[in-house]
Amino acid sequence: MTSATASAQRLRELLDGPAVVRLPGVFDAPSSALAAQAGASAVCLSGATVSAVDLGVPDLGFVHGTDIARRAASLVPSLDGVPLLADADTGYGHALQARQTARSYAAAGIAGLHLEDQESPKRCGHLAGKSVVDAAEAAGRVRAAVEAGTGLVVVARTDALSVRGLSSVVERCLAFADAGADAVFVEGAGLAELEEVAAALAARGHRTPQVYNRSEAGGAIDSGPGDEELYQVGVRLVIHPVSALLAAAYAVRRAMNEILTSGHAGSVDRLAWPELTDLVGLPGLLDDEQRYAAPSAARLEERSR
């Protein structure tokens, strides 16, 4: 079993687990190492984050799956086996492109993806002006990703709630489950909508869990349903895609202002330099450096006696 396959299996087990699991958003190697160090069972990587960090533009369809796969490949080693659920937007085309996206994500070490039903180019799920493809095309994307042969967890997301209403959401979630999705994800849903989807899935004979988005892009994150309420309507994963990036950007802004105002960042809370070097593995690498170093002249002379 490859490390990517094992990671996907761990993520699948969380979907079938006895509790709601929170997935913090990561965006680079240090944030990934910090998530693993904090004890995260899984993490997520959002398209909006990659668009901001790599391209410096908002989530309006500029980022491609190759950008996300490349970013993921750079941070997966720091996760030390913690599964990564990555945004796959619309699959970046139709069914064939969605299938190829699944394969490129698996090659990057990603454990699972969430694939949505917006038209391309997509928009951030919390922006107005979205449009969605028909249910059959959306389900085709999902089926293609499932049948890509990667073993990745496939989460099927719908953005239809604010565009076409709850009946369309239920229709799409049923179609996604029929297509083999491991979980469904209703963007913008509240507890009542999640309950309606769970009931429809159960009536069709599906035990498909749900994913819930707790993102600052949608407003306040300290309100809304709690973990127990979410669990009762079938939610197993709660993603927090941008919290860490927003916190990091806030801290960087404070540090920049302090440096330019006072000549140093002494009053800004930050990691000590040794904490960062420990986080990225300096002590172990220094030990390895000594282990592989060529023997000194004195040691060689001592050995020759």
Side-chain angles (χ1 to χ4, degrees), residues 10 14-15 19-20 39 86 100 121 132 151 168 202 229-230 232 300 304:
R10 283 193 291 274
L14 295 176
L15 281 171
V20 168
Q100 183 58 32
V132 294
S168 179
E229 292 174 297
L230 291 171
Q232 292 302 318
L300 286 173
S304 65

Side-chain angles (χ1 to χ4, degrees), residues 17-35:
V20 168
V21 176
R22 301 168 187 154
L23 281 65
V26 296
F27 53 91
D28 61 8
S31 65
S32 300
L34 288 166

Side-chain angles (χ1 to χ4, degrees), residues 76-140:
V76 162
S78 298
L79 288 169
D80 196 26
V82 174
L84 173 65
L85 175 67
D87 194 346
D89 288 335
T90 63
Y92 311 100
H94 300 295
L96 295 183
Q97 288 74 30
R99 183 175 66 185
Q100 183 58 32
T101 294
R103 290 171 177 166
S104 66
Y105 277 27
I110 292 168
L113 56 82
H114 52 84
L115 186 67
E116 65 199 51
D117 58 356
Q118 282 197 48
E119 291 184 351
S120 295
K122 58 88 43 122
R123 300 170 70 82
C124 174
H126 299 284
L127 288 176
K130 295 182 296 182
S131 56
V132 294
V133 299
D134 64 50
E137 181 176 345

